[in-house]
């Protein structure tokens, strides 16, 4: 009989769950895994290094009883009802003081509900975002836990050991109360949507607008990853573009459908931003473009019926345009991060998370999908001013945006002339221009609302609420 007392447990031994548990084992912790599929339970033990205390089982009671008190276990199962089902199956064997962590992309109100329900039984519930994919899980992810601060101390040594490291600092920290971890991961995914859309637009412009070859496109992104736009998403774009399809011999990306899929986290980010009245236009547009991509048949028909225009480069050399595109991407990427951090700041106040923006930026610098060189600048901005309402107001980031705005405007003119859609880039520039406008035309909207609905308005020269009989 196995008498080992295991430090940490994992429920759900798919690729992510198994890889993260093996990562924990590699750092000297005894681990146990539970899965209803005996093949997955056995695969966990087979993939572990010989001699390491790693146990796979299909028996929930045996799994729970094998864990050290207070027990710490993570669920890595699909979001939604599977999480509730997994909790219900484990509850008969759990005790007061135990810690249950949901490591999936759960919608944050579900996490709040589970925190309250399990607290009534004395059980601590954590929602923890995990970013980095299966490779990150195995060798060092970014992790975003939220829940009870004191209970986190039971988890901290394990999580800090297995997280990605940047300059020796682990890419994990206690983020805040309740569903703070799931919320931060949701916004992370929204930013991810925005940056991926920006990269896709720039790829499209270079391919259709400049006529770059597949090899030249790949080289551009490889070169860019050595510049100020260095990031995981730029890096993998260069890797993707050189992968050949085994069937056709073409670059694989050229035979992949352009109907984009999504799991909903980007939509959740946009919806919640609207609830909080936080403008998030770049992410909103990224979600919209994924939705539009699904209308493939109509787009093919429209391509035949709706004529465009053909414009030359007006004498601008391709090399110069490529440099402008890199500059424009850097500008829009910073604006996308800025929008996301405003949402985090607003949500922290609304939901009592007590988030620290510099800590969020710190743990996003490594391991996660949106890791990028500019996150160190963002971290420094919040270190300098923890109450910074918007990154655009940081002197250094504001100066960088101002420096690059001429290139964004040049690219916008080119894309409009050529009829190649770059909506996320245009939206990012419009956000910048709107944010720096001391006066916006919403005074007219207020007048219109009062005209047709007697919704009233405020004046700039008098205090109070006013209504006019317009006709």
């Amino acid at each position: 009989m196995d008498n080992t007392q295991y430090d940490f447990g994992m429920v759900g031994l798919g690729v992510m769950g198994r890889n993260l548990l093996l990562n924990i084992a590699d750092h000297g912790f005894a681990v146990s895994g539970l899965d209803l599929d005996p093949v997955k339970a056995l695969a966990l033990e087979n993939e572990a290094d010989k001699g390491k205390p790693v146990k796979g089982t299909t028996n929930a009671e045996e799994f729970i009883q094998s864990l050290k008190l207070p027990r710490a276990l993570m669920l890595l199962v699909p979001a939604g009802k599977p999480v509730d089902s997994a909790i219900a199956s484990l509850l008969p064997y759990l005790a007061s003081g135990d810690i249950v962590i949901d490591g999936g992309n759960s919608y944050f109100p579900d996490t709040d509900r589970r925190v309250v329900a399990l607290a009534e039984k004395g059980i601590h519930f954590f929602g923890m975002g995990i970013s980095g994919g299966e490779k990150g899980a195995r060798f060092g992810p970014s992790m975003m836990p939220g829940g009870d601060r004191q209970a986190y101390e039971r988890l901290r040594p394990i999580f800090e050991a297995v997280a990605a490291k940047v300059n020796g600092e682990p890419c994990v920290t206690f983020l805040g109360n309740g569903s703070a971890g799931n919320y931060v991961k949701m916004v992370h995914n929204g930013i991810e949507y925005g940056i991926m859309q920006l990269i896709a637009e720039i790829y499209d412009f270079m391919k259709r607008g400049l006529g770059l070859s597949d090899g030249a496109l790949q080289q551009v992104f490889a070169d860019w990853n050595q510049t100020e736009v260095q990031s995981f998403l730029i890096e993998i774009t260069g890797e993707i573009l050189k992968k050949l399809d085994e069937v056709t011999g073409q670059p694989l990306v050229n035979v992949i459908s352009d109907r984009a899929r999504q799991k909903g986290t980007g939509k959740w980010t946009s919806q919640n931003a609207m609830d909080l009245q936080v403008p998030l236009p770049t992410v909103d547009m990224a979600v919209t473009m994924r939705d539009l991509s699904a209308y493939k048949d109509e787009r093919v028909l429209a391509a035949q019926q709706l004529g465009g225009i053909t414009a030359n480069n007006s004498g601008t050399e391709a090399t110069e345009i490529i440099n402008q595109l890199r500059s424009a991407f850097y500008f829009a990427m910073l604006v996308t991060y800025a929008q996301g951090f405003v949402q985090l700041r607003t949500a922290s106040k609304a939901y009592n998370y007590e988030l620290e923006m510099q800590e969020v930026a710190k743990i996003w610098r490594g391991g996660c999908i949106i890791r990028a060189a500019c996150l160190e600048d963002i971290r420094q901005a919040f270190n300098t001013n923890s109450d910074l309402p918007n990154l655009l107001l940081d002197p250094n980031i504001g100066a960088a945006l101002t420096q690059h705005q001429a290139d964004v405007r040049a690219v916008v003119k080119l894309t409009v002339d050529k009829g190649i859609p770059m909506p996320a880039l245009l939206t990012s520039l419009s956000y910048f221009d709107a944010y720096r406008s001391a006066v916006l035309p919403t005074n007219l909207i207020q007048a219109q609302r009062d005209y047709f609905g007697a919704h009233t308005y405020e004046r700039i020269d008098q205090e109070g609420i006013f209504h006019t009989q317009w006709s």
Side-chain angles (χ1 to χ4, degrees), residues 370-398:
I370 62 170
R371 61 185 184 264
C374 67
L375 277 161
E376 180 58 34
D377 297 329
I378 292 171
R379 180 196 184 189
Q380 290 299 330
F382 286 119
N383 277 341
T384 301
N385 181 5
S386 61
D387 294 324
L388 188 67
N390 190 311
L391 283 166
L392 273 61
L393 296 177
D394 174 73
N396 294 324
I397 291 176

Side-chain angles (χ1 to χ4, degrees), residues 30 44 51-52 75 108 121 242 264 275 281 294 321 338 381 418 435 468:
L44 171 68
K52 295 244 175 104
L75 313 176
F108 73 94
K121 302 178 184 301
K242 69 182 181 183
D275 291 339
I321 296 174
K418 287 180 175 290
Y435 190 73
T468 294

Side-chain angles (χ1 to χ4, degrees), residues 95-370:
S96 179
D98 289 346
I99 302 170
V100 177
I101 308 143
D102 176 14
N105 284 329
S106 288
Y107 192 32
F108 73 94
D110 290 339
T111 300
D112 286 325
R113 169 175 57 81
R114 292 163 185 149
V115 167
V116 172
L118 290 178
E120 293 174 354
K121 302 178 184 301
I123 297 170
H124 303 288
F125 187 80
F126 278 74
M128 184 170 77
I130 302 174
S131 181
E134 57 187 77
K135 185 175 180 181
R138 186 67 183 86
F139 300 108
S142 173
M143 297 187 289
M144 299 155 245
D148 181 84
R149 185 179 294 273
Q150 289 184 328
Y152 179 70
E153 289 305 305
R154 164 74 171 83
L155 308 172
R156 186 172 57 82
I158 298 173
F159 289 169
E160 289 185 354
V162 304
K165 307 292 190 301
V166 175
N167 299 326
E169 295 179 305
C171 293
V172 61
T173 190
F174 175 80
L175 286 173
N177 306 312
S179 59
N182 283 133
Y183 193 94
V184 170
K185 179 55 162 49
M186 180 187 76
V187 175
H188 165 288
N189 287 12
I191 293 170
E192 179 184 303
Y193 269 59
I195 295 174
M196 290 171 71
Q197 176 64 30
L198 289 166
I199 294 173
E201 291 176 6
I202 286 170
Y203 157 80
D204 188 32
F205 187 89
M206 287 192 288
K207 189 176 182 71
R208 288 200 286 160
L210 300 182
L212 264 61
S213 67
D214 295 316
L217 281 166
Q218 189 277 325
Q219 191 60 53
V220 165
F221 283 102
D223 291 343
W224 281 11
N225 202 45
Q226 307 303 314
T227 69
E228 74 277 13
V229 300
Q230 185 277 323
S231 61
F232 175 73
L233 287 169
I234 288 290
E235 176 187 347
I236 67 167
T237 300
E239 293 294 317
I240 287 167
L241 292 174
K242 69 182 181 183
K243 181 69 174 179
L244 298 181
D245 176 37
E246 295 180 357
V247 177
T248 64
Q250 299 182 55
L252 179 57
V253 71
N254 291 347
V255 296
I256 293 177
S257 167
D258 66 344
R259 297 177 195 252
R261 297 183 181 274
Q262 52 188 317
K263 291 187 175 181
T265 50
K267 178 184 71 175
W268 293 344
T269 310
S270 288
Q271 288 174 331
N272 181 255
M274 291 181 186
D275 291 339
L276 296 173
Q277 295 185 302
V278 174
L280 202 72
T282 308
V283 177
D284 295 342
M285 186 54 69
V287 175
T288 294
M289 291 306 291
R290 292 204 194 184
D291 290 340
L292 183 58
S293 76
Y295 291 78
K296 176 68 173 180
D297 295 341
E298 293 179 37
R299 289 190 289 113
V300 171
L301 184 62
Q304 299 166 355
Q305 295 186 9
L306 303 177
I309 60 174
T310 302
N312 58 32
N313 294 336
S314 303
T316 307
E317 294 292 335
T319 300
E320 181 181 348
I321 296 174
I322 290 170
N323 288 333
Q324 290 174 334
L325 286 166
R326 187 189 75 242
S327 179
F329 171 70
Y330 181 67
F331 175 100
M333 179 171 63
L334 284 176
V335 168
T336 305
Y337 279 115
Q339 293 170 18
F341 274 98
V342 172
Q343 182 172 0
L344 288 175
R345 182 179 181 81
T346 306
S348 183
K349 293 178 180 178
Y351 305 135
N352 193 34
Y353 287 151
E354 300 181 357
L355 295 174
E356 296 183 21
M357 297 303 114
Q358 65 268 30
E359 291 297 299
V360 176
K362 182 183 82 170
I363 66 173
W364 282 354
R365 293 176 306 158
C368 74
I369 302 301
I370 62 170

